[in-house]
Amino acid sequence: MVDDRLNLPFTGLVSFMRVPTCTDLDAVDADIAILGAPSDEGSPWKPGARFAPRKIRELSIKYAGYGPDQHQLGYYDIDENRRFLEYERRHSRIVDCGDCDIVYTNVRRTFDNITHDVRRLLDAGVFPVVIGGDHAVTYPVVRAYSERLNVVHFDAHMDYRPFVHGVQWANGNPIRNVARLKTCHHIVQVGIRSLRTRQADVEDSRARGNDIVTIPDFRRRGPRAIVDLLPPDEPVYCSIDVDVLDLPLVPGCASSEVNGLTYDELRQTLLEVNPMLDVPADNTSQLAAQLIIEFLGRLVEHPGYRKRHPMRSATRAPRDHRRSRGRAKGR
Amino acid sequence: MVDDRLNLPFTGLVSFMRVPTCTDLDAVDADIAILGAPSDEGSPWKPGARFAPRKIRELSIKYAGYGPDQHQLGYYDIDENRRFLEYERRHSRIVDCGDCDIVYTNVRRTFDNITHDVRRLLDAGVFPVVIGGDHAVTYPVVRAYSERLNVVHFDAHMDYRPFVHGVQWANGNPIRNVARLKTCHHIVQVGIRSLRTRQADVEDSRARGNDIVTIPDFRRRGPRAIVDLLPPDEPVYCSIDVDVLDLPLVPGCASSEVNGLTYDELRQTLLEVNPMLDVPADNTSQLAAQLIIEFLGRLVEHPGYRKRHPMRSATRAPRDHRRSRGRAKGR
Amino acid sequence: MVDDRLNLPFTGLVSFMRVPTCTDLDAVDADIAILGAPSDEGSPWKPGARFAPRKIRELSIKYAGYGPDQHQLGYYDIDENRRFLEYERRHSRIVDCGDCDIVYTNVRRTFDNITHDVRRLLDAGVFPVVIGGDHAVTYPVVRAYSERLNVVHFDAHMDYRPFVHGVQWANGNPIRNVARLKTCHHIVQVGIRSLRTRQADVEDSRARGNDIVTIPDFRRRGPRAIVDLLPPDEPVYCSIDVDVLDLPLVPGCASSEVNGLTYDELRQTLLEVNPMLDVPADNTSQLAAQLIIEFLGRLVEHPGYRKRHPMRSATRAPRDHRRSRGRAKGR
Amino acid sequence: MVDDRLNLPFTGLVSFMRVPTCTDLDAVDADIAILGAPSDEGSPWKPGARFAPRKIRELSIKYAGYGPDQHQLGYYDIDENRRFLEYERRHSRIVDCGDCDIVYTNVRRTFDNITHDVRRLLDAGVFPVVIGGDHAVTYPVVRAYSERLNVVHFDAHMDYRPFVHGVQWANGNPIRNVARLKTCHHIVQVGIRSLRTRQADVEDSRARGNDIVTIPDFRRRGPRAIVDLLPPDEPVYCSIDVDVLDLPLVPGCASSEVNGLTYDELRQTLLEVNPMLDVPADNTSQLAAQLIIEFLGRLVEHPGYRKRHPMRSATRAPRDHRRSRGRAKGR
Amino acid sequence: MVDDRLNLPFTGLVSFMRVPTCTDLDAVDADIAILGAPSDEGSPWKPGARFAPRKIRELSIKYAGYGPDQHQLGYYDIDENRRFLEYERRHSRIVDCGDCDIVYTNVRRTFDNITHDVRRLLDAGVFPVVIGGDHAVTYPVVRAYSERLNVVHFDAHMDYRPFVHGVQWANGNPIRNVARLKTCHHIVQVGIRSLRTRQADVEDSRARGNDIVTIPDFRRRGPRAIVDLLPPDEPVYCSIDVDVLDLPLVPGCASSEVNGLTYDELRQTLLEVNPMLDVPADNTSQLAAQLIIEFLGRLVEHPGYRKRHPMRSATRAPRDHRRSRGRAKGR
Amino acid sequence: MVDDRLNLPFTGLVSFMRVPTCTDLDAVDADIAILGAPSDEGSPWKPGARFAPRKIRELSIKYAGYGPDQHQLGYYDIDENRRFLEYERRHSRIVDCGDCDIVYTNVRRTFDNITHDVRRLLDAGVFPVVIGGDHAVTYPVVRAYSERLNVVHFDAHMDYRPFVHGVQWANGNPIRNVARLKTCHHIVQVGIRSLRTRQADVEDSRARGNDIVTIPDFRRRGPRAIVDLLPPDEPVYCSIDVDVLDLPLVPGCASSEVNGLTYDELRQTLLEVNPMLDVPADNTSQLAAQLIIEFLGRLVEHPGYRKRHPMRSATRAPRDHRRSRGRAKGR
């Protein structure tokens, strides 16, 4: 069905890539859900990541295609000469669920809201893509999963600070929080390089058995090495702080650092890893929008994903969501 | 019905004051519709008014009320100690219809889209509130009306340039365009003061019989005088360029000028005039959001409006929209 | 003693008005202490007030006087043709104590820090001037006082939201928190005008016996009326949200509103009220720096203040701070 | 002669109001010359006034009139219903002479350049309008005049600092410098109000016999009082620092202060004073452009000006510039 | 001839590199002409490229040389240890012709103006360098040429959208427009990589026989490959959208994309290609100024260019412009 | 001793890395002193480097470590897995001495102040780290040294302009000034690449025997080559203009240029060179803070530095500073 509107990116109400919206998380009928977690109380320097989900949505519209003839559902990769996300966009298999409710001055309750929302999506067999907010939100997202998973953490910083001085839920703590979850198996931390890195955090992380891949490590061993560090055929959760990218790529990011990954290095690694679960993209920038879209484009082509979300014709009768997903080990 | 979300203004998908959205203009079931017309090709200096409807929507959310207990449908005026818009918000009598489609490099087609959209709303008995875009959009909005109307035009500039050099649809032309409409009766231009005013435009406007009220005139005669310049009991269309306000109130406005109205002077005049039709608020700023909300608050209390849009209980059966509206006396 | 440096405002280490610093609150030897409370987790819209104390300090340096001959301790009021603060600056009776420690994601602990710091100053007989941060910090400051006091609250907003949804310490709550303190007697709220005002908050405030002075009220009755609403000869605590000023005066303030006080109206009222206790200046701007300085200039001239802080020669032996102050009722 | 270009303000090479340019000051054939003095080394806080002449020129183009029919030489004042500057624009009696050469790190040489350039214009019988730069440039401009003159100085600050610490040419010194010129007779300082005012400067200024008109003075006595403070029928030099205007009118000005003049108060005073010589407008903003244009509009209508610059037909033979002006003492 | 002015870049009236100006296109006596085409109505996202010619001119002044001794006509390349553009600058063989007239809301007329202006320059034997504006202006520029030419198009985007929905002249269409010109022979599109690329546009371009060189292609084959794709000894028209450069190099560009060319890659390719015709640099940034200057520096050293524009002594008699150029097929 | 404060970077009074302050240069008891020289009168384009020392101090706080457990004196390098600066931070061997006094409009006196302050530090055996300000300040810093030294100058520009037109102390002159000092032996200029480079300056520099290493030279020969150009075992003074780095790394720098060094290239070179004296970091950015910290980290590990500044226990009695340093030739 062709829309006769031009739909320039500065017009119209906003949702991620202009996909349908559904703010009632108990009524989601889709494969993939965009969910914002606009919390930034955990930021020790410039706050403002709270505006990231809204800004990323607005910028994602540039990739929605526009014009009656120009309509291109999904996107086209000129280097590979093929299309991605076309099916999903056409059949509304992606929805935008809006944002988790944020309770300012009460981070615990905010985190409960995030976990609750993600869990509702998981229970409905929907694949959640969570957009922060600062990196603290990774913990409440990951704890929503009931299955065993491994974590790949892209970041310039360890995010592994101990819980002292009454601070446990800030953006320096999430990976330490995640590491204590029973469901969390192996953790790989990629891109760590900040001068602010604490030696004790590095030691604690390694003591747990986590792998830390610095930028020189990464350059030496290549993206494939990240995959080799993960147990084969197990779910992988991907957490991306955009400051893993090099400083000039993310000038709007309050914690950006020199000597980071190029966009292509991160992209290639994501394609290698092919995480089966989800990606919270913290912080702000147009790169985040593009990264999410490219990530989704490859994700839905992955055999593991397709097995769980088989293609359906648009006219197919409403299916039983939960059964068709099945995330448990029995799958 | 109480929502248990806090709904802070930086969270969630955006619509004007968080009212329900309805982008299918043939299916609007409401009394009042917000409609954006984000066109700025008619701006001879800094463009960017195209982002105004989106920005005004975002800022209007601050007035949506938030928190489970704090929920306040409509708003409260502390000076008058009474509430406004409560009924409308509760019964979803206001909807946000998104934006008219903009066809860049083709202003005629953009204008056709605007007129078409407004007409659909009028035909459905819905009261349109149009948010520009630059002031050029006033013409395609007004020409959508089929009944005779008078126009009150608040602006620092005449917007009455002749059609020469192939320019007829820019933001210097709309009131001259409107003046040529058969439906347009009397025009009152309030706040004109720019040093860029053309003498010939003033003469042309007066030659047609329009009234021009400069700032000194306005200060001498008061808001009531505007009403006295209008024929009694006739529909009045209100067109507000926010640069009618004083320069320090609208610093983000590319055409702001010194010696303008205060916010209260404009507000009082609107309450006096009590325009029965609609208000396109051109340009950008939080003031625009507040102005629209306060305008709507008073509008729906007006006997003329209430006669056409009588209160209904929320459980009332779907009404026949068109019959219950009836905008001109003859209709 | 003349410094031979020019000390232009962009040079040198920063303290409020270049007064001496003392970050050990147990060792303060001064009459007046500047204390920052850079907390903004209670902001429901744009955060950033955390940077206000630092910015206000930097801008206050412009009023420090500079150049070997130009040195002017304190400041000169050309309209009154007299100098203020000269004695205090010369004898270092003002110190800058830096900031309270902020524990992000843990507002309760932040508030404990603020109360603890203010109490140490009060116990030492020092008059604290607290610079926020968002307005939430007013509560932990006021609760540090052990004597009975009245509160004058300048603001565009009530800040009187009830404690629901787990939110008690945000910037909508401080005056309701203050109102529950045993030490808090009468409250006067001046300048309330936001369209976001909750009717129930107004009713709750009035039910407690508080006075609410809207802008039209204020214009009708004048600054003197504020004084008349307060019990005579009792301590008055002043809490100023800079958004009580008119929108164009505080464009950098996330909550600024139209139709506010002029700078002079606020200044005159402060001079009339002559609060004997302190002033937390929330939010950011150069006006805040000037306001604090002018406030201090008049404060130290007040008989009540002088009685408690008599002038001393510079060579006088170290005095016993606590005895000379004496803030208890017995005074 | 009609130009068939639309000439929108963002197009084309830039000169003040699009008047002809002439950078060879020995070849100027005009009545009025715009001259920039983009020096800001004398600024003790944020520099950047060096960009003001360029910016003011760019913004002045908005007042140049545009479009084949819209062409309006000069401008139209709607309140007075008459045109100004038309003759001057049509007959190219105004030229833009570009900027004085600035020698960074060598203010003395910069000042020599300014004086030299202004003197060349005066010798040619051309009326110079100098645009700063910071206020320090007033001194090198005034010292270019060889006739006795009086000075009206609009400013929030005294600019009367003594010459100590090796600083004599900064933006705190110009009026003290001017006061020592033999040619300088009476000085009136209007709008002084900064908290940074030095008491000794006020005393020094008054000791010389200068008048200082504070804002309350001005409000009490009105614009006419300024005229009454000046000797009748003597040349008056006008020096306007835009920070004489109220803070919200000049937010881009590094030294703006609260409680300043409104635009209209300044404008009315200029019309009353009707200075016969020139006006350096320091600092940056669109207001500066408008102020210069309105000032010129009235200036050229003044009998004294017209006597010296009688209207000529465009075809008139080249006149002897110097004789027709007559600036000598005999006047 | 030595100028004794320092001419710092923030002083003086502005023209490209301070070359002489000539806005009468029928009177141009030069080899190279700078011409602005500040149209941005074709931009589907942030407008503002209309200010690019003015901004690029201002920034180009930094390369004009300054100071009496420092004067360096043209520029010096330290890596090659030789000077460029010296002769041209000294003999005023470059002029700045200002901007084409823009008719807002009427793109067709704007395009006619552009074509008309470029054609006048070509007819006079002048080599035009056109500065946009958005990329839509490439079409009206290229259609001004009457000789057969090839096009190299540097861009992140195809700019090859079909003409539907009434949009033919926007910044997505120019290369498709150019491709339909009879004069246009081969087209090479370099740097295409945006996720927004339409598959159909790629297919249409290739179907016409155009070459598309993606970034990986370019990196594999090197700049020399671009030359090999062009017919030897034929005129080449170069169209450069600065978004062909990598995102961090052009942060001010509304359409910037990751993974673009480095400055050196683009520069090397231009030197290899040695286009004999011209280069419209769309969009804004200092890089654009530098790119144009370096491009011109090499262009005038090229044998083909020198043959058409032989060096002349400064005292040479006025030449017959048109004959000495000769752009017709006979060359 | 553990501080129980969290000390987030936006709280507290500011000094470089929160080290102790000492503004009385005659009373400094430390090994290393941070000293600001906020002069920017020598900037021919955008001024503002005067704010760099203050901004760099503020950003350096991010590297100070925070939180009771998180306290990390000095910093940790994850790639080398070791700590730096720990001893110095713990024993307060680094102090922040504030800024040199700037005398606006009088650069000579400003330079005298800078030289005087640096000399006092050197006489006290303290290693000065000077933060500009524009690059002109390098001269007054270097002339404070009484011993023979070599200079490595990192910059995109030669800074070797001759003294003409009365300009000798601007930011184009410092290396030529330094080259004339009797104490200055060999000079190596690294990274020169600006299109604004004067050929004559290059020739003059080479004629003196200086080495100029362009970016292609540097890439060909590596950081080690810089060391090889210096006489072994002689003091080396390092002067770093941050525009030696690539444009996207220093977007806030008014003179940034394409094709510069990466952060790592500069860092590696500094480690190779191991300058024994000091580093003025001109201009502004967070990179400057990080660069200074990393530089200091390696400097204090160097045998030459350690010999002069042997480690001492914190309880050691006050030492005789001057004797333990010994910078004279006898060393």
Side-chain angles (χ1 to χ4, degrees), chain C residues 4-15 18 21 23 38 50-51 54 57-58 61 66 96-104 117, chain F residues 4-15 18 21 23 38 50-51 54 57-58 61 66 96-104 117:
Chain C
D4 68 339
R5 288 172 59 97
L6 192 56
N7 273 332
L8 293 175
F10 58 82
T11 69
L13 301 168
V14 174
S15 68
R18 296 206 196 271
T21 62
T23 56
R50 64 179 63 180
F51 291 106
R54 189 169 286 169
R57 277 187 184 100
E58 187 185 5
I61 292 181
Y66 38 89
D96 188 333
C97 292
D99 295 335
C100 302
D101 199 44
I102 303 301
V103 187
Y104 60 154
D117 285 353
Chain F
D4 68 340
R5 289 172 58 97
L6 192 54
N7 272 335
L8 292 175
F10 58 83
T11 69
L13 301 169
V14 174
S15 69
R18 295 204 196 275
T21 61
T23 55
R50 63 179 65 180
F51 292 105
R54 189 169 285 168
R57 279 187 182 98
E58 187 184 6
I61 291 182
Y66 38 90
D96 189 332
C97 292
D99 294 336
C100 302
D101 198 44
I102 304 301
V103 186
Y104 59 154
D117 286 353

Side-chain angles (χ1 to χ4, degrees), chain A residues 8 23 29 44 49-50 63 83 91 99 109 118 128 141 160 167 174 178 204 212-213 220-221 236 297 302-303 321 327:
Chain A
L8 293 175
T23 56
D29 176 21
R50 65 179 63 182
Y63 304 104
R83 306 190 55 71
H91 300 292
D99 295 335
R109 199 176 282 215
V118 174
V141 176
Y160 216 85
V167 179
V178 163
D204 287 358
I212 299 176
V213 181
R220 229 174 356 251
R221 299 155 65 185
V236 175
H302 192 254
H321 238 229
R327 173 168 276 125

Side-chain angles (χ1 to χ4, degrees), chain B residues 98-230:
Chain B
D99 294 336
C100 301
D101 199 45
I102 303 302
V103 186
Y104 59 155
T105 69
N106 195 330
V107 176
R108 279 178 174 278
R109 199 177 282 214
T110 295
F111 279 16
D112 287 347
N113 289 345
I114 294 172
T115 302
H116 182 63
D117 286 353
V118 174
R119 196 168 282 153
R120 281 155 85 194
L121 291 171
L122 292 173
D123 287 348
V126 181
F127 183 101
V129 176
V130 182
I131 304 174
D134 64 44
H135 214 159
V137 304
T138 289
Y139 171 64
V141 176
V142 175
R143 77 173 171 189
Y145 289 86
S146 54
E147 63 191 313
R148 170 179 152 129
L149 45 73
N150 303 275
V151 170
V152 179
H153 167 227
F154 294 92
D155 205 324
H157 311 87
M158 291 293 293
D159 290 4
Y160 216 84
R161 302 218 160 183
F163 313 142
V164 292
H165 210 268
V167 179
Q168 178 167 7
W169 315 112
N171 81 353
N173 309 112
I175 305 305
R176 187 179 289 262
N177 277 310
V178 163
R180 287 152 43 116
L181 289 170
K182 282 186 193 157
T183 49
C184 178
H185 186 212
H186 193 53
I187 297 178
V188 185
Q189 299 187 279
V190 186
I192 314 303
R193 68 192 184 279
S194 172
L195 214 64
R196 288 179 282 146
T197 306
R198 289 180 68 245
Q199 185 168 11
D201 295 352
V202 171
E203 289 162 358
D204 287 357
S205 179
R206 288 195 168 129
R208 184 192 180 274
N210 301 339
D211 283 298
I212 298 176
V213 181
T214 65
I215 297 289
D217 290 343
F218 181 87
R219 295 262 156 79
R220 230 174 356 250
R221 298 155 64 184
R224 185 67 217 170
I226 309 297
V227 183
D228 296 341
L229 292 170
L230 294 166

Side-chain angles (χ1 to χ4, degrees), chain B residues 11 66 69 92 95 100 104 120 176 181 254 270 274 300 330:
Chain B
T11 68
Y66 37 90
D69 186 89
S92 297
V95 296
C100 301
Y104 59 155
R120 281 155 85 194
R176 187 179 289 262
L181 289 170
L270 283 176
N274 209 327
V300 299

Side-chain angles (χ1 to χ4, degrees), chain D residues 187-304:
Chain D
I187 297 178
V188 184
Q189 298 187 280
V190 185
I192 314 303
R193 65 191 186 280
S194 172
L195 215 63
R196 287 179 283 145
T197 305
R198 290 181 68 243
Q199 186 168 10
D201 295 351
V202 172
E203 289 161 358
D204 287 358
S205 179
R206 288 196 168 127
R208 184 193 180 275
N210 301 340
D211 283 297
I212 298 176
V213 181
T214 65
I215 298 289
D217 290 343
F218 180 88
R219 295 263 156 79
R220 227 172 358 249
R221 299 155 64 185
R224 186 68 217 169
I226 309 299
V227 183
D228 295 340
L229 292 169
L230 294 167
D233 298 321
E234 283 197 15
V236 176
Y237 180 97
C238 235
S239 177
I240 302 173
D241 189 323
V242 291
D243 67 22
V244 75
L245 294 170
D246 200 22
L247 179 144
L249 286 166
V250 286
C253 173
S255 56
S256 56
E257 306 266 0
V258 288
N259 290 335
L261 296 184
T262 66
Y263 182 82
D264 246 23
E265 285 173 332
L266 175 55
R267 184 173 165 276
Q268 287 304 328
T269 310
L270 283 176
L271 304 193
E272 288 283 357
V273 171
N274 210 326
M276 279 175 289
L277 298 181
D278 79 64
V279 48
D282 304 296
N283 292 296
T284 179
S285 104
Q286 170 144 355
L287 282 195
Q290 180 167 346
L291 195 63
I292 294 169
I293 293 168
E294 292 207 71
F295 170 78
L296 287 177
R298 304 314 167 99
L299 173 84
V300 299
E301 304 287 328
H302 192 254

Side-chain angles (χ1 to χ4, degrees), chain C residues 25 27 43 142 172 204 253 267 285 306 313 315:
Chain C
L25 297 195
S43 300
V142 175
D204 287 359
C253 173
R267 183 173 165 276
S285 100
R306 271 291 163 240
S313 76
T315 57

Side-chain angles (χ1 to χ4, degrees), chain E residues 216-236:
Chain E
D217 289 344
F218 180 87
R219 295 263 156 77
R220 228 172 0 249
R221 299 155 64 185
R224 185 69 215 167
I226 308 298
V227 183
D228 295 341
L229 291 170
L230 293 166
D233 298 322
E234 283 197 15
V236 175

Side-chain angles (χ1 to χ4, degrees), chain D residues 5-14 21 23 38 50-51 54 57-58 96 98-104, chain E residues 5-14 21 23 38 50-51 54 57-58 61 96 98-104:
Chain D
R5 289 173 58 97
L6 194 53
N7 273 334
L8 292 175
F10 58 83
T11 68
L13 301 168
V14 174
T21 61
T23 56
R50 64 180 64 181
F51 291 106
R54 190 169 285 169
R57 278 187 184 98
E58 187 184 5
D96 188 333
D99 295 335
C100 301
D101 198 44
I102 304 301
V103 186
Y104 59 155
Chain E
R5 288 172 60 97
L6 193 54
N7 273 334
L8 292 175
F10 58 83
T11 67
L13 301 169
V14 174
T21 61
T23 55
R50 65 179 64 180
F51 291 105
R54 190 169 285 169
R57 277 188 184 98
E58 186 184 5
I61 292 182
D96 189 333
D99 295 335
C100 302
D101 198 45
I102 303 302
V103 186
Y104 60 154

